[in-house]
């Protein structure tokens, strides 16, 4: 029987903070006015970040349960950044396409 505790350093809060800072900066540069789309993207990003973090923790615990402590350590060191990178890439791609179709960007036609 083993137990797992989740400390503040393992909670994924640092990754979420990095994501939020990047998202707020990007949205501010692309859409300085707070509108419905900007708010919806921020809300969607927050919810998906939370779910991705729960998914990460579930995978790490499942790996530890089925394959032992050394596999748990390996999963803890590697699974988080892989899930974070994949989810941010997918989210940013979708967000950028949405912003391109409803953009405030000035397009120079010269």
């Amino acid at each position: 029987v083993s137990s797992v505790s989740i400390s503040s350093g393992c909670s994924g809060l640092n990754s979420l903070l990095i994501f939020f800072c990047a998202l707020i900066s990007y949205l501010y540069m692309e859409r300085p006015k707070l509108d419905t789309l900007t708010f919806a993207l921020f809300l969607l990003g927050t919810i998906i970040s939370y779910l991705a973090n729960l998914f990460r923790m579930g995978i790490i615990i499942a790996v530890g349960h089925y394959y032992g402590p050394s596999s748990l350590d390996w999963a803890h060191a590697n699974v988080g950044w892989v899930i974070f990178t994949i989810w941010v890439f997918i989210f940013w791609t979708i967000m950028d396409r949405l912003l391109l179709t409803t953009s405030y960007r000035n397009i120079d036609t010269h």
Side-chain angles (χ1 to χ4, degrees), residues 15-16 19 48-61 63 75-91:
S15 297
L16 293 175
F19 171 75
I48 296 174
S49 290
Y50 180 75
L51 294 175
N53 195 41
L54 287 177
F55 181 64
R56 175 191 70 88
M57 288 190 289
I59 287 176
I60 292 169
I61 290 170
V63 165
H76 184 264
N78 296 296
V79 169
W81 70 264
V82 171
I83 290 172
F84 182 76
T85 302
I86 291 169
W87 117 250
V88 167
F89 176 76
I90 292 169
F91 179 78

Side-chain angles (χ1 to χ4, degrees), residues 8 17 19 22 27 29 35 47 65 71-72 87 92:
S8 61
L17 183 61
F19 171 75
L27 289 173
M29 294 305 295
D35 59 2
I47 291 169
H65 176 73
S71 295
L72 181 135
W87 117 250
W92 230 266

Side-chain angles (χ1 to χ4, degrees), residues 14-68:
N14 291 336
S15 297
L16 293 175
L17 183 61
I18 291 168
F19 171 75
F20 289 143
C21 290
L23 180 62
I24 289 168
S25 300
Y26 184 79
L27 289 173
Y28 180 74
M29 294 305 295
E30 292 299 317
R31 297 176 76 91
K33 292 172 69 176
L34 182 62
D35 59 2
T36 306
L37 180 61
T38 305
F39 182 74
L41 287 170
F42 185 78
L43 186 62
L44 181 66
T46 302
I47 291 169
I48 296 174
S49 290
Y50 180 75
L51 294 175
N53 195 41
L54 287 177
F55 181 64
R56 175 191 70 88
M57 288 190 289
I59 287 176
I60 292 169
I61 290 170
V63 165
H65 176 73
Y66 290 109
Y67 300 105

